[in-house]
Amino acid sequence: MADVEFVQGMTQFLRESLGVYGDEVLTGEAVAGAGAGAEVGRGVLRATYGRVDERGREGLVEAVQEAAAEPGNEDALGVLRQEIRRALRKHPELEGELAALLPGGGSGTTVIASGARSIAAGGNIGIAITGDGHGSSKR
């Protein structure tokens, strides 16, 4: 059974896909230039939708609509993640499908660096220094 961290690791991809596709993420056509993250999230949602029964589909559609209607609402995004977890509990084989869609094959580690002088590391890299003037001696 998928743990919370596995589904939590999908958050950014779900957010990106909803930002690009809105509530048509499950049924709409691909959008040119959508970006890799949006396509990962779209793939996760569509794979989940294809696996669940009618009741599961209704819950997923409702969660997608709510999350798309309120892009900044983390609670709505949490409900969407919960629907994915519910599908994973009922269909354990879905975890492998979703993991294959995630960067790194669902290793559970997603590393993103953003902004000037940012560092991204997937594990312990030792000492990392950013900023101006390192390596020069100012006396």
Side-chain angles (χ1 to χ4, degrees):
M1 176 176 49
D3 59 13
V4 174
E5 290 80 23
F6 176 69
V7 178
Q8 186 72 25
M10 300 175 187
T11 301
Q12 184 60 32
F13 305 115
L14 298 173
R15 188 178 289 122
E16 287 181 42
S17 67
L18 291 170
V20 171
Y21 290 98
D23 62 0
E24 293 188 15
V25 69
L26 295 171
T27 57
E29 296 295 320
V31 172
E39 291 306 312
V40 169
R42 179 174 178 252
V44 164
L45 290 169
R46 291 172 72 115
T48 304
Y49 183 83
R51 185 65 73 159
V52 296
D53 60 15
E54 188 61 34
R55 184 173 176 199
R57 287 182 179 168
E58 289 172 4
L60 190 62
V61 166
E62 185 176 323
V64 163
Q65 289 171 341
E66 288 180 16
E70 299 183 61
N73 185 338
E74 291 301 312
D75 291 338
L77 200 56
V79 170
L80 181 55
R81 285 192 307 264
Q82 188 61 32
E83 287 295 327
I84 294 169
R85 289 191 71 220
R86 187 172 291 120
L88 287 165
R89 279 194 305 272
K90 290 182 179 179
H91 305 279
E93 69 281 1
L94 179 60
E95 184 173 357
E97 287 181 50
L98 299 185
L101 295 171
L102 298 172
S107 65
T109 302
T110 301
V111 180
I112 300 171
S114 177
R117 299 180 186 93
S118 296
I119 295 176
N124 185 358
I125 61 169
I127 297 172
I129 301 173
T130 65
D132 295 331
H134 290 285
S136 64
S137 64
K138 296 182 181 180
R139 295 180 186 182

PDB file of all heavy atoms in Angstrom, residues 92-127:
ATOM      1  N   PRO A  92      -3.881  -1.987  -5.402  1.00  0.00           N
ATOM      2  CA  PRO A  92      -2.450  -1.904  -5.082  1.00  0.00           C
ATOM      3  C   PRO A  92      -1.535  -1.905  -6.313  1.00  0.00           C
ATOM      4  O   PRO A  92      -0.463  -1.318  -6.284  1.00  0.00           O
ATOM      5  CB  PRO A  92      -2.196  -3.143  -4.223  1.00  0.00           C
ATOM      6  CG  PRO A  92      -3.527  -3.573  -3.739  1.00  0.00           C
ATOM      7  CD  PRO A  92      -4.530  -3.107  -4.742  1.00  0.00           C
ATOM      8  N   GLU A  93      -1.968  -2.542  -7.388  1.00  0.00           N
ATOM      9  CA  GLU A  93      -1.161  -2.572  -8.609  1.00  0.00           C
ATOM     10  C   GLU A  93      -1.011  -1.188  -9.242  1.00  0.00           C
ATOM     11  O   GLU A  93      -0.095  -0.952 -10.036  1.00  0.00           O
ATOM     12  CB  GLU A  93      -1.754  -3.566  -9.615  1.00  0.00           C
ATOM     13  CG  GLU A  93      -3.081  -3.161 -10.212  1.00  0.00           C
ATOM     14  CD  GLU A  93      -4.319  -3.390  -9.329  1.00  0.00           C
ATOM     15  OE1 GLU A  93      -4.199  -3.866  -8.182  1.00  0.00           O
ATOM     16  OE2 GLU A  93      -5.419  -3.087  -9.808  1.00  0.00           O
ATOM     17  N   LEU A  94      -1.897  -0.261  -8.893  1.00  0.00           N
ATOM     18  CA  LEU A  94      -1.834   1.097  -9.415  1.00  0.00           C
ATOM     19  C   LEU A  94      -0.565   1.816  -8.949  1.00  0.00           C
ATOM     20  O   LEU A  94      -0.044   2.681  -9.657  1.00  0.00           O
ATOM     21  CB  LEU A  94      -3.087   1.882  -8.978  1.00  0.00           C
ATOM     22  CG  LEU A  94      -3.191   3.339  -9.407  1.00  0.00           C
ATOM     23  CD1 LEU A  94      -3.183   3.473 -10.919  1.00  0.00           C
ATOM     24  CD2 LEU A  94      -4.476   3.942  -8.815  1.00  0.00           C
ATOM     25  N   GLU A  95      -0.050   1.443  -7.793  1.00  0.00           N
ATOM     26  CA  GLU A  95       1.146   2.107  -7.276  1.00  0.00           C
ATOM     27  C   GLU A  95       2.312   1.997  -8.255  1.00  0.00           C
ATOM     28  O   GLU A  95       3.029   2.968  -8.498  1.00  0.00           O
ATOM     29  CB  GLU A  95       1.546   1.538  -5.918  1.00  0.00           C
ATOM     30  CG  GLU A  95       2.732   2.275  -5.318  1.00  0.00           C
ATOM     31  CD  GLU A  95       3.036   1.848  -3.895  1.00  0.00           C
ATOM     32  OE1 GLU A  95       2.296   1.013  -3.325  1.00  0.00           O
ATOM     33  OE2 GLU A  95       4.007   2.371  -3.345  1.00  0.00           O
ATOM     34  N   GLY A  96       2.516   0.829  -8.829  1.00  0.00           N
ATOM     35  CA  GLY A  96       3.585   0.657  -9.798  1.00  0.00           C
ATOM     36  C   GLY A  96       3.389   1.515 -11.035  1.00  0.00           C
ATOM     37  O   GLY A  96       4.346   2.089 -11.564  1.00  0.00           O
ATOM     38  N   GLU A  97       2.145   1.609 -11.498  1.00  0.00           N
ATOM     39  CA  GLU A  97       1.849   2.445 -12.661  1.00  0.00           C
ATOM     40  C   GLU A  97       2.163   3.907 -12.378  1.00  0.00           C
ATOM     41  O   GLU A  97       2.767   4.592 -13.201  1.00  0.00           O
ATOM     42  CB  GLU A  97       0.366   2.332 -13.032  1.00  0.00           C
ATOM     43  CG  GLU A  97      -0.035   1.043 -13.677  1.00  0.00           C
ATOM     44  CD  GLU A  97      -1.514   1.043 -14.017  1.00  0.00           C
ATOM     45  OE1 GLU A  97      -1.990   2.015 -14.651  1.00  0.00           O
ATOM     46  OE2 GLU A  97      -2.190   0.074 -13.638  1.00  0.00           O
ATOM     47  N   LEU A  98       1.726   4.382 -11.211  1.00  0.00           N
ATOM     48  CA  LEU A  98       1.955   5.780 -10.866  1.00  0.00           C
ATOM     49  C   LEU A  98       3.430   6.052 -10.625  1.00  0.00           C
ATOM     50  O   LEU A  98       3.952   7.087 -11.041  1.00  0.00           O
ATOM     51  CB  LEU A  98       1.129   6.174  -9.640  1.00  0.00           C
ATOM     52  CG  LEU A  98      -0.391   6.046  -9.780  1.00  0.00           C
ATOM     53  CD1 LEU A  98      -1.086   6.578  -8.547  1.00  0.00           C
ATOM     54  CD2 LEU A  98      -0.900   6.726 -11.035  1.00  0.00           C
ATOM     55  N   ALA A  99       4.112   5.129  -9.971  1.00  0.00           N
ATOM     56  CA  ALA A  99       5.545   5.299  -9.711  1.00  0.00           C
ATOM     57  C   ALA A  99       6.312   5.425 -11.023  1.00  0.00           C
ATOM     58  O   ALA A  99       7.254   6.217 -11.123  1.00  0.00           O
ATOM     59  CB  ALA A  99       6.076   4.138  -8.888  1.00  0.00           C
ATOM     60  N   ALA A 100       5.916   4.660 -12.026  1.00  0.00           N
ATOM     61  CA  ALA A 100       6.590   4.711 -13.322  1.00  0.00           C
ATOM     62  C   ALA A 100       6.403   6.059 -14.011  1.00  0.00           C
ATOM     63  O   ALA A 100       7.240   6.470 -14.818  1.00  0.00           O
ATOM     64  CB  ALA A 100       6.080   3.590 -14.219  1.00  0.00           C
ATOM     65  N   LEU A 101       5.333   6.766 -13.684  1.00  0.00           N
ATOM     66  CA  LEU A 101       5.078   8.078 -14.287  1.00  0.00           C
ATOM     67  C   LEU A 101       5.899   9.184 -13.633  1.00  0.00           C
ATOM     68  O   LEU A 101       6.164  10.206 -14.255  1.00  0.00           O
ATOM     69  CB  LEU A 101       3.588   8.426 -14.160  1.00  0.00           C
ATOM     70  CG  LEU A 101       2.620   7.546 -14.930  1.00  0.00           C
ATOM     71  CD1 LEU A 101       1.186   7.870 -14.533  1.00  0.00           C
ATOM     72  CD2 LEU A 101       2.809   7.710 -16.424  1.00  0.00           C
ATOM     73  N   LEU A 102       6.281   8.969 -12.394  1.00  0.00           N
ATOM     74  CA  LEU A 102       6.991  10.002 -11.635  1.00  0.00           C
ATOM     75  C   LEU A 102       8.468  10.037 -12.005  1.00  0.00           C
ATOM     76  O   LEU A 102       9.060   8.993 -12.284  1.00  0.00           O
ATOM     77  CB  LEU A 102       6.840   9.750 -10.135  1.00  0.00           C
ATOM     78  CG  LEU A 102       5.419   9.806  -9.596  1.00  0.00           C
ATOM     79  CD1 LEU A 102       5.387   9.355  -8.144  1.00  0.00           C
ATOM     80  CD2 LEU A 102       4.840  11.207  -9.737  1.00  0.00           C
ATOM     81  N   PRO A 103       9.069  11.229 -11.997  1.00  0.00           N
ATOM     82  CA  PRO A 103      10.512  11.307 -12.241  1.00  0.00           C
ATOM     83  C   PRO A 103      11.262  10.442 -11.235  1.00  0.00           C
ATOM     84  O   PRO A 103      10.919  10.395 -10.056  1.00  0.00           O
ATOM     85  CB  PRO A 103      10.836  12.782 -12.018  1.00  0.00           C
ATOM     86  CG  PRO A 103       9.543  13.488 -12.224  1.00  0.00           C
ATOM     87  CD  PRO A 103       8.471  12.534 -11.767  1.00  0.00           C
ATOM     88  N   GLY A 104      12.240   9.716 -11.687  1.00  0.00           N
ATOM     89  CA  GLY A 104      12.991   8.832 -10.802  1.00  0.00           C
ATOM     90  C   GLY A 104      12.259   7.548 -10.508  1.00  0.00           C
ATOM     91  O   GLY A 104      12.632   6.808  -9.606  1.00  0.00           O
ATOM     92  N   GLY A 105      11.171   7.285 -11.250  1.00  0.00           N
ATOM     93  CA  GLY A 105      10.428   6.050 -11.053  1.00  0.00           C
ATOM     94  C   GLY A 105       9.741   5.959  -9.713  1.00  0.00           C
ATOM     95  O   GLY A 105       9.504   4.880  -9.196  1.00  0.00           O
ATOM     96  N   GLY A 106       9.413   7.114  -9.122  1.00  0.00           N
ATOM     97  CA  GLY A 106       8.708   7.113  -7.846  1.00  0.00           C
ATOM     98  C   GLY A 106       9.597   6.780  -6.672  1.00  0.00           C
ATOM     99  O   GLY A 106       9.164   6.201  -5.698  1.00  0.00           O
ATOM    100  N   SER A 107      10.858   7.169  -6.767  1.00  0.00           N
ATOM    101  CA  SER A 107      11.796   6.853  -5.691  1.00  0.00           C
ATOM    102  C   SER A 107      11.432   7.535  -4.386  1.00  0.00           C
ATOM    103  O   SER A 107      11.980   7.210  -3.355  1.00  0.00           O
ATOM    104  CB  SER A 107      13.208   7.271  -6.097  1.00  0.00           C
ATOM    105  OG  SER A 107      13.286   8.681  -6.252  1.00  0.00           O
ATOM    106  N   GLY A 108      10.480   8.471  -4.458  1.00  0.00           N
ATOM    107  CA  GLY A 108      10.056   9.157  -3.245  1.00  0.00           C
ATOM    108  C   GLY A 108      10.834  10.433  -2.997  1.00  0.00           C
ATOM    109  O   GLY A 108      10.519  11.182  -2.110  1.00  0.00           O
ATOM    110  N   THR A 109      11.848  10.696  -3.807  1.00  0.00           N
ATOM    111  CA  THR A 109      12.634  11.904  -3.641  1.00  0.00           C
ATOM    112  C   THR A 109      12.481  12.759  -4.875  1.00  0.00           C
ATOM    113  O   THR A 109      12.812  12.336  -5.976  1.00  0.00           O
ATOM    114  CB  THR A 109      14.124  11.578  -3.444  1.00  0.00           C
ATOM    115  OG1 THR A 109      14.248  10.730  -2.315  1.00  0.00           O
ATOM    116  CG2 THR A 109      14.937  12.827  -3.245  1.00  0.00           C
ATOM    117  N   THR A 110      11.964  13.942  -4.693  1.00  0.00           N
ATOM    118  CA  THR A 110      11.885  14.921  -5.755  1.00  0.00           C
ATOM    119  C   THR A 110      12.656  16.133  -5.281  1.00  0.00           C
ATOM    120  O   THR A 110      12.381  16.666  -4.210  1.00  0.00           O
ATOM    121  CB  THR A 110      10.420  15.320  -6.049  1.00  0.00           C
ATOM    122  OG1 THR A 110       9.710  14.152  -6.407  1.00  0.00           O
ATOM    123  CG2 THR A 110      10.354  16.341  -7.162  1.00  0.00           C
ATOM    124  N   VAL A 111      13.632  16.550  -6.057  1.00  0.00           N
ATOM    125  CA  VAL A 111      14.486  17.654  -5.661  1.00  0.00           C
ATOM    126  C   VAL A 111      14.305  18.769  -6.669  1.00  0.00           C
ATOM    127  O   VAL A 111      14.452  18.554  -7.865  1.00  0.00           O
ATOM    128  CB  VAL A 111      15.961  17.210  -5.607  1.00  0.00           C
ATOM    129  CG1 VAL A 111      16.841  18.348  -5.191  1.00  0.00           C
ATOM    130  CG2 VAL A 111      16.114  16.029  -4.671  1.00  0.00           C
ATOM    131  N   ILE A 112      13.975  19.960  -6.181  1.00  0.00           N
ATOM    132  CA  ILE A 112      13.769  21.105  -7.047  1.00  0.00           C
ATOM    133  C   ILE A 112      14.540  22.278  -6.471  1.00  0.00           C
ATOM    134  O   ILE A 112      14.391  22.608  -5.300  1.00  0.00           O
ATOM    135  CB  ILE A 112      12.274  21.469  -7.142  1.00  0.00           C
ATOM    136  CG1 ILE A 112      11.490  20.289  -7.705  1.00  0.00           C
ATOM    137  CG2 ILE A 112      12.077  22.716  -7.971  1.00  0.00           C
ATOM    138  CD1 ILE A 112       9.992  20.461  -7.652  1.00  0.00           C
ATOM    139  N   ALA A 113      15.358  22.914  -7.296  1.00  0.00           N
ATOM    140  CA  ALA A 113      16.054  24.134  -6.895  1.00  0.00           C
ATOM    141  C   ALA A 113      15.404  25.279  -7.639  1.00  0.00           C
ATOM    142  O   ALA A 113      15.120  25.192  -8.826  1.00  0.00           O
ATOM    143  CB  ALA A 113      17.529  24.043  -7.235  1.00  0.00           C
ATOM    144  N   SER A 114      15.177  26.369  -6.948  1.00  0.00           N
ATOM    145  CA  SER A 114      14.523  27.500  -7.569  1.00  0.00           C
ATOM    146  C   SER A 114      15.139  28.790  -7.062  1.00  0.00           C
ATOM    147  O   SER A 114      15.266  28.992  -5.859  1.00  0.00           O
ATOM    148  CB  SER A 114      13.026  27.464  -7.247  1.00  0.00           C
ATOM    149  OG  SER A 114      12.380  28.580  -7.790  1.00  0.00           O
ATOM    150  N   GLY A 115      15.531  29.641  -7.977  1.00  0.00           N
ATOM    151  CA  GLY A 115      16.050  30.933  -7.583  1.00  0.00           C
ATOM    152  C   GLY A 115      17.564  31.009  -7.669  1.00  0.00           C
ATOM    153  O   GLY A 115      18.259  30.004  -7.789  1.00  0.00           O
ATOM    154  N   ALA A 116      18.039  32.229  -7.597  1.00  0.00           N
ATOM    155  CA  ALA A 116      19.474  32.479  -7.682  1.00  0.00           C
ATOM    156  C   ALA A 116      20.214  31.773  -6.558  1.00  0.00           C
ATOM    157  O   ALA A 116      19.760  31.758  -5.415  1.00  0.00           O
ATOM    158  CB  ALA A 116      19.746  33.980  -7.621  1.00  0.00           C
ATOM    159  N   ARG A 117      21.323  31.170  -6.892  1.00  0.00           N
ATOM    160  CA  ARG A 117      22.220  30.504  -5.946  1.00  0.00           C
ATOM    161  C   ARG A 117      21.568  29.354  -5.191  1.00  0.00           C
ATOM    162  O   ARG A 117      21.974  29.018  -4.094  1.00  0.00           O
ATOM    163  CB  ARG A 117      22.810  31.524  -4.974  1.00  0.00           C
ATOM    164  CG  ARG A 117      23.628  32.588  -5.661  1.00  0.00           C
ATOM    165  CD  ARG A 117      24.188  33.565  -4.636  1.00  0.00           C
ATOM    166  NE  ARG A 117      24.849  34.657  -5.282  1.00  0.00           N
ATOM    167  CZ  ARG A 117      24.259  35.810  -5.591  1.00  0.00           C
ATOM    168  NH1 ARG A 117      22.998  36.011  -5.319  1.00  0.00           N
ATOM    169  NH2 ARG A 117      24.949  36.762  -6.171  1.00  0.00           N
ATOM    170  N   SER A 118      20.561  28.749  -5.783  1.00  0.00           N
ATOM    171  CA  SER A 118      19.889  27.614  -5.146  1.00  0.00           C
ATOM    172  C   SER A 118      20.680  26.340  -5.379  1.00  0.00           C
ATOM    173  O   SER A 118      21.361  26.195  -6.379  1.00  0.00           O
ATOM    174  CB  SER A 118      18.488  27.434  -5.720  1.00  0.00           C
ATOM    175  OG  SER A 118      17.696  28.547  -5.408  1.00  0.00           O
ATOM    176  N   ILE A 119      20.554  25.426  -4.449  1.00  0.00           N
ATOM    177  CA  ILE A 119      21.189  24.118  -4.561  1.00  0.00           C
ATOM    178  C   ILE A 119      20.112  23.068  -4.363  1.00  0.00           C
ATOM    179  O   ILE A 119      19.289  23.172  -3.465  1.00  0.00           O
ATOM    180  CB  ILE A 119      22.280  23.924  -3.487  1.00  0.00           C
ATOM    181  CG1 ILE A 119      23.423  24.904  -3.718  1.00  0.00           C
ATOM    182  CG2 ILE A 119      22.787  22.495  -3.502  1.00  0.00           C
ATOM    183  CD1 ILE A 119      24.484  24.840  -2.652  1.00  0.00           C
ATOM    184  N   ALA A 120      20.122  22.060  -5.200  1.00  0.00           N
ATOM    185  CA  ALA A 120      19.203  20.935  -5.046  1.00  0.00           C
ATOM    186  C   ALA A 120      20.028  19.680  -4.822  1.00  0.00           C
ATOM    187  O   ALA A 120      20.978  19.420  -5.547  1.00  0.00           O
ATOM    188  CB  ALA A 120      18.333  20.789  -6.294  1.00  0.00           C
ATOM    189  N   ALA A 121      19.684  18.935  -3.813  1.00  0.00           N
ATOM    190  CA  ALA A 121      20.402  17.690  -3.524  1.00  0.00           C
ATOM    191  C   ALA A 121      19.404  16.642  -3.069  1.00  0.00           C
ATOM    192  O   ALA A 121      18.506  16.923  -2.288  1.00  0.00           O
ATOM    193  CB  ALA A 121      21.445  17.922  -2.444  1.00  0.00           C
ATOM    194  N   GLY A 122      19.580  15.434  -3.561  1.00  0.00           N
ATOM    195  CA  GLY A 122      18.685  14.356  -3.204  1.00  0.00           C
ATOM    196  C   GLY A 122      19.141  13.567  -1.995  1.00  0.00           C
ATOM    197  O   GLY A 122      18.530  12.599  -1.606  1.00  0.00           O
ATOM    198  N   GLY A 123      20.211  13.964  -1.400  1.00  0.00           N
ATOM    199  CA  GLY A 123      20.741  13.267  -0.231  1.00  0.00           C
ATOM    200  C   GLY A 123      21.805  14.122   0.428  1.00  0.00           C
ATOM    201  O   GLY A 123      21.959  15.292   0.113  1.00  0.00           O
ATOM    202  N   ASN A 124      22.578  13.539   1.294  1.00  0.00           N
ATOM    203  CA  ASN A 124      23.618  14.281   1.983  1.00  0.00           C
ATOM    204  C   ASN A 124      24.791  14.499   1.037  1.00  0.00           C
ATOM    205  O   ASN A 124      25.432  13.558   0.602  1.00  0.00           O
ATOM    206  CB  ASN A 124      24.075  13.521   3.226  1.00  0.00           C
ATOM    207  CG  ASN A 124      25.075  14.310   4.030  1.00  0.00           C
ATOM    208  OD1 ASN A 124      25.471  15.413   3.655  1.00  0.00           O
ATOM    209  ND2 ASN A 124      25.478  13.745   5.146  1.00  0.00           N
ATOM    210  N   ILE A 125      25.078  15.772   0.721  1.00  0.00           N
ATOM    211  CA  ILE A 125      26.184  16.081  -0.183  1.00  0.00           C
ATOM    212  C   ILE A 125      27.349  16.718   0.560  1.00  0.00           C
ATOM    213  O   ILE A 125      28.315  17.145  -0.045  1.00  0.00           O
ATOM    214  CB  ILE A 125      25.736  17.001  -1.334  1.00  0.00           C
ATOM    215  CG1 ILE A 125      25.223  18.332  -0.803  1.00  0.00           C
ATOM    216  CG2 ILE A 125      24.723  16.295  -2.198  1.00  0.00           C
ATOM    217  CD1 ILE A 125      25.015  19.384  -1.864  1.00  0.00           C
ATOM    218  N   GLY A 126      27.260  16.800   1.845  1.00  0.00           N
ATOM    219  CA  GLY A 126      28.325  17.448   2.611  1.00  0.00           C
ATOM    220  C   GLY A 126      28.060  18.936   2.720  1.00  0.00           C
ATOM    221  O   GLY A 126      26.932  19.371   2.821  1.00  0.00           O
ATOM    222  N   ILE A 127      29.087  19.723   2.609  1.00  0.00           N
ATOM    223  CA  ILE A 127      28.965  21.171   2.744  1.00  0.00           C
ATOM    224  C   ILE A 127      28.667  21.777   1.385  1.00  0.00           C
ATOM    225  O   ILE A 127      29.348  21.493   0.405  1.00  0.00           O
ATOM    226  CB  ILE A 127      30.260  21.780   3.315  1.00  0.00           C
ATOM    227  CG1 ILE A 127      30.508  21.232   4.713  1.00  0.00           C
ATOM    228  CG2 ILE A 127      30.168  23.302   3.333  1.00  0.00           C
ATOM    229  CD1 ILE A 127      31.857  21.611   5.282  1.00  0.00           C
TER     230      ILE A 127
END
